[in-house]
Amino acid sequence: NAGVTQTPKFQVLKTGQSMTLQCAQDMNHNSMYWYRQDPGMGLRLIYYSASEGTTDKGEVPNGYNVSRLNKREFSLRLESAAPSQTSVYFCASMREVEGASSGANVLTFGAGSRLTVL
Amino acid sequence: LAKTTQPISMDSYEGQEVNITCSHNNIATNDYITWYQQFPSQGPRFIIQGYKTKVTNEVASLFIPADRKSSTLSLPRVSLSDTAVYYCLVGGGWNSGYSTLTFGKGTMLLVSP
């Protein structure tokens, strides 16, 4: 059971280059998320997708685009990378509860993708 | 959104019990309290979740008073491997919306020999 898989694990870019971070989950979850984490900081939500075909902005969406390719896959694209986007990126999917007495939603995270922009 | 406040850091020694308290004064009726643990270079992972009173699993206990304005994560007899950042999240109940899943800076727990 792989859970949430992210690729690549490490990437170095030059300012202005583009790249796509890939994320896939095998838990049949409907919703998926992209977070970034900077040193000494908590996780900040970039974009999320409540279901296949829908995406919404989170707290820090500027400079990023996302694609929910199908139920399993949710990619994050940097069109023109900037040094301020140097960070560790985490993808997550969420188990959604089905009723008021079923607890609360729980996130499952990938291992992260460490991106450095020079 | 229910805002949470946790200590920035805590220190402990192996074998001690550690209690990390989270304040969430404006918790809503359908909000749950969920704790995550994050090791260096890894994504956060779910530890425990509760709504009220006490919840216990194989890893930790979660104490929630009647007014639900705070919660305490209790780690019994910590070891060096419990050194991590611990996040308290409030929200995520059924039909609560996705924007409630907001992480703060967490509590850095350092366990020493």
Side-chain angles (χ1 to χ4, degrees):
Chain A
N1 188 358
V4 178
T5 303
Q6 292 183 230
T7 56
K9 292 191 185 322
F10 301 94
Q11 183 72 49
V12 178
L13 293 176
K14 294 181 180 179
T15 297
Q17 287 185 319
S18 63
M19 78 156 299
T20 299
L21 300 177
Q22 307 287 352
C23 175
Q25 53 96 5
D26 61 2
M27 296 172 286
N28 202 37
H29 290 167
N30 284 321
S31 56
M32 298 184 71
Y33 300 75
W34 276 105
Y35 289 88
R36 62 176 287 175
Q37 186 173 38
D38 301 306
M41 302 289 288
L43 289 93
R44 291 185 292 170
L45 182 63
I46 304 171
Y47 270 94
Y48 64 96
S49 169
S51 61
E52 182 180 352
T54 67
T55 60
D56 286 286
K57 295 178 180 179
E59 182 184 357
V60 288
N62 292 343
Y64 304 95
N65 287 303
V66 291
S67 295
R68 183 73 183 269
L69 306 172
N70 48 54
K71 190 171 186 178
R72 291 186 64 248
E73 299 172 293
F74 187 37
S75 62
L76 178 71
R77 182 163 179 83
L78 287 70
E79 292 290 353
S80 179
S84 62
Q85 294 178 304
T86 293
S87 188
V88 180
Y89 292 85
F90 291 100
C91 176
S93 68
M94 187 170 71
R95 179 210 79 184
E96 298 163 27
V97 297
E98 298 179 356
S101 61
S102 302
N105 303 328
V106 174
L107 289 164
T108 299
F109 285 84
S113 298
R114 185 176 297 275
L115 174 65
T116 301
V117 183
L118 303 175
Chain B
L1 297 177
K3 181 180 177 182
T4 60
T5 302
Q6 308 174 227
I8 296 295
S9 63
M10 295 183 68
D11 295 321
S12 183
Y13 293 97
E14 282 189 293
Q16 290 188 333
E17 178 185 70
V18 172
N19 296 307
I20 305 174
T21 298
C22 180
S23 298
H24 28 80
N25 290 320
N26 58 341
I27 189 169
T29 302
N30 65 340
D31 284 343
Y32 280 73
I33 300 155
T34 308
W35 285 80
Y36 290 83
Q37 175 190 54
Q38 185 179 25
F39 296 116
S41 302
Q42 295 186 24
R45 67 168 189 155
F46 170 85
I47 301 178
I48 197 167
Q49 182 180 89
Y51 184 80
K52 60 181 178 181
T53 63
K54 176 183 176 182
V55 179
T56 297
N57 61 23
E58 66 277 6
V59 176
S61 294
L62 179 59
F63 298 92
I64 305 168
D67 67 5
R68 303 200 327 123
K69 293 184 182 300
S70 66
S71 59
T72 299
L73 174 72
S74 181
L75 304 173
R77 298 182 298 281
V78 295
S79 64
L80 297 177
S81 63
D82 291 315
T83 293
V85 178
Y86 294 82
Y87 295 96
C88 164
L89 269 73
V90 172
W94 179 61
N95 213 28
S96 64
Y98 303 95
S99 60
T100 60
L101 295 175
T102 302
F103 285 78
K105 295 184 179 181
T107 298
M108 175 65 219
L109 172 65
L110 177 61
V111 180
S112 301

